[in-house]
Structure formats: structure tokens, C-alpha cells
Amino acid sequence: MLASDKETESAREKMPDERSNGPFKRISCTNPFYTIKFFVVCQGFLQLSQLMTSGYMKSSISTIEKRFGLSSQTSGLVASFNEVGNTVLIIFVSYMGSRVHRPRFIGCGAILVSMAGLVISLPHFIMGPYEYDRSISGLASNITDICIPGRKEREVCSESKKREGQFVLPLLLLGQTLLGIGGVPIQPFGISYIDDFASKSNSPLYIGILFATSALGPALAFMVGSAMLSFYVDIDKVSAAEIHITNKDPRWVGAWWLGFICAGSVVAIASIPYFFFPRELPKEEEPQRKSIVEVNKKDLMYELKNDPEDLGDHTLSQFIKMFPVVLLRLMKNPVFMTVVMAMVNMSAMIAGLATFLGKLLERQFTLTASVANMIIGAVNIPSGMLGIILGGAIIKKCRLTLKQTTIMCMIGMGFCALCDVPLLFLGCQTQTVAGLDYSGSSGVAQLVAECNQICNCSPSAFNPVCGLDNIEYISPCYAGCTGLNINPATQRVLNYTGCNCVILRGAHGVAYPGTCGTRCPHLLMPFVTIACISVFLGSLSHTPGFVLILRNVNPEDKSFAIGIQFLCQRVLAWLPSPVLYGSAIDTACLLWQFMCQQRASCRYYNNASFRQRFIGMQILFESACFLCFCGVYFLLHQKEKQVCQEQSNRIDQAISPSPANESYA
């Protein structure tokens, strides 16, 4: 064994460099898997597809809520649960570094991400067809929902339906956990692999390409969500003739599962090349342009790459011993801890925005999930990307000092919070719905009235209709409608007639299928514009905050400091924030859905309360971030003042005569 190890080691020492005319030169010319450029292409494609898969959950979360009867708090937990697996393993991945076959680990992680997408889509296949009306199982809802005097009806909840519901949440959480675990090695191992085998001048360029490509992932996820949610959820189970509702109907549920299958398949394809890359690549040839390296010496990537001491270079026992020492040293650094808290608040704001902004747009402006996702993917996310890029460009172009960088963060977050204040008042009121109590948030309604008392309507029915009096009823039965007109070609209801509760000019009126809507589409454009400006201003502080961390820790602690920052952001922001937002949103519910006598998703929200709670939490986190950056500025000012005082004291000591010299004189 020893002899063979020595032979392998000597062979590796004799292995020719790419700059020579040896075997590696010939291999790299004919085999793309021995070139770093092809690895960058594969890594960019993989990171794009992986972030598209993880971001797709946020684009479809309101649809998943409606399909399986989840509260906003529960859906927030589902959306953030991928951070659990990621957080548990991220430190071990940081330690392993170059000790493992990194391309294969990346490939295995990608396969796990692909499997996670399939696991998340499983509830669609184990559950029965979606019943958008539960009054009488198996019959068309538009016929059974009319008022039939003397009807005796009760909710049917079979044992099979109960068992099916018990599997949904565990499968979603399991899929999200696998998604988080699979994503752990992809970016860290990919960046370190590129940095090891790319030339020093090209490495920042390649890593920049990866970040730019990765930034497109969430935007693409919302665009894919917009396309998939325009299809009916059971497109694989029922024919088009059996679908009697459109995507504008409040009962519509889009094909949320289809996006996970498509995204998971793309990730599986992206994983294939990684099993053909070698453990080590030939080092890329360094261009004979010294000026490029000199220019990049103060760049962010240069600082990350040229740490005097990397914790990954130690043995496991040394790593475990050093962990508390370095952690304590960083915790004693007040500037570092304050910047980390600022970044935590910023991440909490972003996590809540990404998870529930689509739902806010749907409820406030009566948009479909498809349109809401299109707005977020095409407008909001690109404005955030522009802010991140511009923030880094300003630092590099203007060569800002640490105090100037902090001022830039303060200005960005301060104006971000101020921009969100008008959004507290810019929105639509909840449409008038018969029986709802708008004064409280009990989530129950007095739906039975004198005009529909004889109908004995099902409390679980949900088929909103809009009367000619512009009052909405949760079903034709609660509107007291006794007849209906159907389009013979499409078999869709045109209107309901003989509605006892819809009194117009002293006669029984007519109701039309669908919600009355919030009737304020003119406010959508101002709302989206102000939200985009706010996102842009907040994103300006993203890169500067990252720089403040790197420039305020010891050189040997930089890699560990970044790891601690990411860990704190995951544990304190990305994991709990969607749950907190969801809990706040649930308090604005006016009418809850009940499935098998258990509370499920919310039917109607108090739109003003929903908006004020959501935007209020945004302003709270933005203000906390602003105050943290103010604290950073104060600490830097004190530090600078202390350094100046020490320098002044040293100068005074140098020029003043010593006591011995005075006595001699």
C-alpha cells in the first residue's frame, strides 16, 4: 500500500501543467471535461436550475395553500423549511473543502435537488381530484349550489380523505428538507473548484458570471410559476370539457405540481456532466497581463481567495478546537456583530417579501396567481438585481471608505423604509360580502339570513357570486338563487336567477358567477412602482454590507466570518421570517375554510389589515436594519477617533524629551 501511494504521489508530482505540451494539454484540447471554462458553463446552468427549483415554491405557495387548505403560517413554514437541511450541513461542507471529489459531490447534491422536486409534487398524485365545491361529492358544483328549500345536506368527510390529508404536509416538508440538503454542496464546492483551477485574473470573472446567472434563477422561477398556474391543477386527471371554471374564478387552482417536475427534470439533466469531471483540473494558463491582477487586488473576490489561513486546511480535531475560539473572537468584534444583525434584518424583510408578495397582490387587486407571479418575476426581482449590481459598482468606482460605505447603506435602507410608508394606505378595501364581520378577525361569519334560511345551505360551500346590487355571496345558495342559465356550448353558468337575497327595485334579482372584485385596478401600477423603487433602494445595501464584514475582521477569519453571517441569516431570518409573516397575515382573516371540521385556509381577508400587517413588518425590519447601520457608523467613528488618539499619543511621546535626558541636561 505504501509503495503504491508513493508511486501515485510521484506520478502526480510529475504530472504536466496545462502550460506545457504534455498529456493534459492534449486532453484539454479534445475533452471539454478537462477545461475550467466548460465547468463554469455547467455550474452556471446548474445554479440557475437549482435556484429556479427552490424559488418555484414561493411562486406557488398561495396555490398550495388553497389546494390543501393550509393557513399562511403553515405555508410560511413549508416555504422556509429548505433552510433546515441547509443550515445543519453548511458548516461541515465548509470544512470538507478540497478533501473530497467536489464535482461528484455537486452532482449528487443536484440529484437530491431533483428528487426533492419530485417528492414535493407527490401530494398531487396521492390525493384525489380537486373538488372546487364540496356540497355534494361527485356532482357539478354549479347545479348543487342553488337554493333547494327543505334540502338536508351535510358535509361528507370519508376516512380515505382524512388519510390523504395526513400525508400532504409531511411530504412537502420532506421535499423541502431534501431541497435544502441537496443545495448545500452546489455553490460552495463550485466556487472553490473554479478558484483552484482558474487563473487568478479569470477567477473573479468566472465567479461573477456564476452570481449573475444565479440571480436569474428566482426571476425565472416566478415566470415558470406564472405559466404553470395558468393550467388547471388536474389537467392530467380530467378532460377540458369537465373543467367548468376559468383561472379568474376564486376557486381556480393551477397546476402547481407541474413546475416542480419540470424544474427537477432540468436539475437532473444539469447534474450529468459532473460525474465526468476529474477531481483535479489542469491549472488554467495565466495571461501575461500583470495589470489585471494589480487592479483586482482590492476586489472583493481577491480578499476571499487570498486568506492567509483557511479553516478548511486543518484536520477535523483542529477545526473543532478552533471553532469556538474564532467564534468568540468574532463575537467580541462589535462592528462585525452589528453588521451581521443588519444583514439578518434585511434577509428577514426579503424572505417575507418573496414568500407573500404574490398573495398580497392577488388579494389586494383581485389578480390571478399567474399574473401576480408575472409581475414579481418581470418587474420586482429585476429591480432588486439592479440594486445589488449598482451597489457593488458604486463601491468599486468611487473607492468608498468604510464610513462612506456605511453611509451608503444608511441612505439606501432609510429611503427604502420611507418608500414603503405610502404602501400602508395604497390598496383596495375588501369587497362587500354578505354575512362577514369586518370589525373583528374571528374568522367566522353569520351567513344564514332570513332570505336564505329555507335553503339549508352547506357551510363548506364556496362558489362566490356577485349580485346586481354589487354585494358578494359565498355561494348561489346563500344568495337564495333558485334557478340558473347555462351556456349549452361550454356548460358554464351564465347567471343565477330568482335570488331571494338580491333585491333590486323591489324584485328578486340576478347574480353572476365569480367575485365582485376589489374594483381598484388603477392603484395596481402605483403600488408596483413604489414597491420596485423600495426593493431597488434596499438592494443597494446588499453588497456594501458584505464588504463591511470582510473589511472589519482579521484576514485569517474572513472565510469563517462569511460562514457565520450566512448561518445567522438562515437561522434568524430565512427560517423564521416567513412563519412570522404568515402568522401576522392569518390574524387578518375574516372567514376560514373548514375541511373535515378542521380549520384550513382563509377564504376572505380584511384587505386593509392584511396590507398594513404585511407592509408594517417590512418597515419594521427595514427600520431595524437602518438603525443597525447607524450603530455601525457610530462604532467606526469611535474606532477611527481612538486610532487617531493613539497615533497622536505616539507622536507626542516621540517628540517629547524623556525624563532621563532632562535630568542629564
Side-chain angles (χ1 to χ4, degrees):
M1 286 294 291
L2 290 173
S4 62
D5 288 345
K6 288 180 179 179
E7 288 174 7
T8 305
E9 197 170 1
S10 62
R12 186 175 296 176
E13 290 174 0
K14 294 177 183 179
M15 190 176 288
D17 193 273
E18 188 185 12
R19 288 167 285 188
S20 69
N21 293 321
F24 258 137
K25 186 71 176 179
R26 292 193 297 272
I27 291 173
S28 63
C29 291
T30 58
N31 191 344
F33 294 102
Y34 280 82
T35 60
I36 192 65
K37 289 183 176 65
F38 185 63
F39 183 86
V40 172
V41 172
C42 294
Q43 184 68 11
F45 179 52
L46 176 59
Q47 288 188 196
L48 175 70
S49 56
Q50 181 240 334
L51 289 172
M52 180 180 71
T53 306
S54 57
Y56 183 78
M57 172 59 79
K58 292 178 173 58
S59 74
S60 58
I61 195 66
S62 63
T63 301
I64 293 174
E65 269 186 37
K66 191 186 297 184
R67 174 64 182 92
F68 300 114
L70 305 179
S71 65
S72 294
Q73 183 185 47
T74 305
S75 64
L77 176 65
V78 171
S80 64
F81 213 73
N82 65 313
E83 299 296 338
V84 173
N86 202 300
T87 303
V88 170
L89 295 177
I90 190 68
I91 292 183
F92 295 101
V93 168
S94 301
Y95 163 73
M96 284 191 290
S98 58
R99 290 175 169 79
V100 296
H101 196 302
R102 284 172 287 184
R104 288 183 186 169
F105 261 71
I106 294 172
C108 291
I111 290 175
L112 209 54
V113 170
S114 177
M115 290 173 58
L118 299 178
V119 170
I120 293 173
S121 66
L122 274 180
H124 168 75
F125 299 100
I126 66 172
M127 293 283 284
Y130 168 59
E131 297 175 10
Y132 49 80
D133 178 73
R134 294 162 53 85
S135 297
I136 297 178
S137 179
L139 296 179
S141 62
N142 288 325
I143 296 175
T144 58
D145 271 353
I146 64 173
C147 176
I148 301 176
R151 172 177 53 186
K152 292 185 178 180
E153 191 173 314
R154 61 186 181 85
E155 183 182 8
V156 178
C157 185
S158 62
E159 287 298 321
S160 60
K161 197 171 289 186
K162 286 183 180 179
R163 285 196 301 270
E164 286 174 352
Q166 291 172 354
F167 288 109
V168 171
L169 189 58
L171 281 174
L172 293 175
L173 295 178
L174 174 62
Q176 283 287 85
T177 304
L178 293 176
L179 189 62
I181 294 173
V184 169
I186 292 176
Q187 190 168 5
F189 281 177
I191 290 175
S192 65
Y193 193 77
I194 290 170
D195 186 49
D196 284 349
F197 303 113
S199 63
K200 288 186 177 180
S201 57
N202 284 338
S203 181
L205 172 65
Y206 294 154
I207 295 173
I209 290 172
L210 288 186
F211 282 127
T213 308
S214 300
L216 296 174
L220 188 59
F222 278 91
M223 300 294 278
V224 171
S226 175
M228 297 303 171
L229 297 180
S230 62
F231 298 106
Y232 185 64
V233 63
D234 288 328
I235 193 174
D236 60 324
K237 298 178 182 178
V238 299
S239 63
E242 297 177 77
I243 304 172
H244 302 298
I245 56 175
T246 66
N247 62 352
K248 293 183 180 179
D249 193 294
R251 296 167 295 165
W252 176 271
V253 171
W256 62 272
W257 54 274
L258 192 55
F260 284 109
I261 291 178
C262 292
S265 301
V266 173
V267 174
I269 294 171
S271 70
I272 295 173
Y274 288 90
F275 295 98
F276 298 95
F277 281 104
R279 179 168 181 163
E280 295 180 359
L281 283 176
K283 183 74 174 177
E284 189 178 35
E285 187 174 353
E286 185 71 38
Q288 298 298 319
R289 287 186 293 179
K290 191 175 180 182
S291 59
I292 295 178
V293 180
E294 291 174 352
V295 169
N296 284 306
K297 276 189 177 179
K298 293 187 178 180
D299 281 358
L300 190 62
M301 288 304 166
Y302 188 88
E303 293 194 20
L304 280 173
K305 295 188 302 170
N306 293 276
D307 298 336
E309 184 179 4
D310 192 345
L311 289 178
D313 295 333
H314 299 283
T315 63
L316 182 59
S317 59
Q318 290 175 325
F319 176 80
I320 294 173
K321 290 178 182 177
M322 290 182 64
F323 186 93
V325 176
V326 180
L327 180 61
L328 187 61
R329 185 161 63 227
L330 290 173
M331 291 180 67
K332 288 181 178 178
N333 185 335
V335 176
F336 168 77
M337 292 303 297
T338 311
V339 176
V340 167
M341 290 311 300
M343 300 300 282
V344 164
N345 281 286
M346 186 189 299
S347 296
M349 178 265 293
I350 295 171
L353 192 70
T355 307
F356 291 111
L357 178 60
K359 184 173 182 176
L360 178 72
L361 294 176
E362 291 174 40
R363 297 288 180 164
Q364 290 291 317
F365 305 104
T366 321
L367 301 179
T368 65
S370 180
V371 173
N373 281 335
M374 180 66 73
I375 292 173
I376 296 172
V379 182
N380 285 73
I381 293 179
S383 66
M385 291 165 53
L386 181 62
I388 293 173
I389 294 169
L390 188 60
I394 290 173
I395 291 178
K396 184 174 181 179
K397 188 73 175 176
C398 301
R399 300 183 180 277
L400 301 181
T401 64
L402 288 180
K403 287 177 68 176
Q404 291 170 336
T405 302
T406 308
I407 291 173
M408 177 181 167
C409 293
M410 291 164 58
I411 292 172
M413 292 310 303
F415 279 103
C416 175
L418 289 176
C419 274
D420 277 345
V421 173
L423 299 182
L424 288 169
F425 314 99
L426 196 62
C428 309
Q429 296 296 322
T430 306
Q431 64 269 34
T432 304
V433 182
L436 288 193
D437 177 18
Y438 293 87
S439 61
S441 58
S442 61
V444 295
Q446 185 61 41
L447 301 174
V448 179
E450 187 178 348
C451 60
N452 60 30
Q453 192 169 9
I454 62 172
C455 301
N456 196 18
C457 304
S458 169
S460 64
F462 184 67
N463 182 8
V465 295
C466 184
L468 282 180
D469 53 357
N470 287 327
I471 295 178
E472 186 171 320
Y473 303 86
I474 69 165
S475 76
C477 184
Y478 282 107
C481 302
T482 56
L484 72 165
N485 294 318
I486 298 177
N487 186 329
T490 60
Q491 292 298 307
R492 289 177 180 169
V493 175
L494 296 175
N495 56 47
Y496 297 92
T497 58
C499 302
N500 298 326
C501 299
V502 183
I503 306 298
L504 204 63
R505 298 189 183 95
H508 293 166
V510 176
Y512 294 91
T515 177
C516 291
T518 50
R519 302 182 185 276
C520 61
H522 59 284
L523 296 179
L524 175 61
M525 187 61 71
F527 188 96
V528 172
T529 302
I530 295 174
C532 284
I533 295 172
S534 174
V535 169
F536 170 77
L537 291 170
S539 300
L540 285 174
S541 304
H542 184 273
T543 305
F546 195 67
V547 172
L548 284 172
I549 287 178
L550 288 172
R551 303 282 169 85
N552 282 286
V553 297
N554 297 330
E556 65 271 15
D557 294 341
K558 284 179 183 176
S559 294
F560 194 77
I562 295 299
I564 291 296
Q565 178 211 350
F566 285 146
L567 185 65
C568 290
Q569 283 178 282
R570 285 187 170 93
V571 173
L572 301 178
W574 289 102
L575 189 58
S577 176
V579 180
L580 292 175
Y581 272 84
S583 300
I585 291 169
D586 281 340
T587 62
C589 184
L590 295 176
L591 179 64
W592 288 98
Q593 172 194 12
F594 282 86
M595 298 175 66
C596 292
Q597 299 179 347
Q598 303 234 341
R599 198 179 82 172
S601 60
C602 185
R603 303 280 203 198
Y604 291 99
Y605 288 97
N606 184 324
N607 281 354
S609 298
F610 185 166
R611 183 179 65 253
Q612 289 163 6
R613 284 162 172 73
F614 181 85
I615 301 298
M617 291 193 71
Q618 292 285 110
I619 295 173
L620 176 66
F621 286 123
E622 290 159 359
S623 301
C625 184
F626 169 77
L627 291 176
C628 286
F629 281 126
C630 290
V632 172
Y633 181 83
F634 174 76
L635 291 170
L636 289 174
H637 181 72
Q638 292 295 108
K639 189 176 180 181
E640 188 179 272
K641 193 175 178 181
Q642 185 179 355
V643 170
C644 291
Q645 185 65 41
E646 290 175 356
Q647 289 178 347
S648 177
N649 292 339
R650 282 198 295 268
I651 292 172
D652 291 343
Q653 290 176 1
I655 61 176
S656 61
S658 62
N661 291 338
E662 288 181 0
S663 61
Y664 177 75

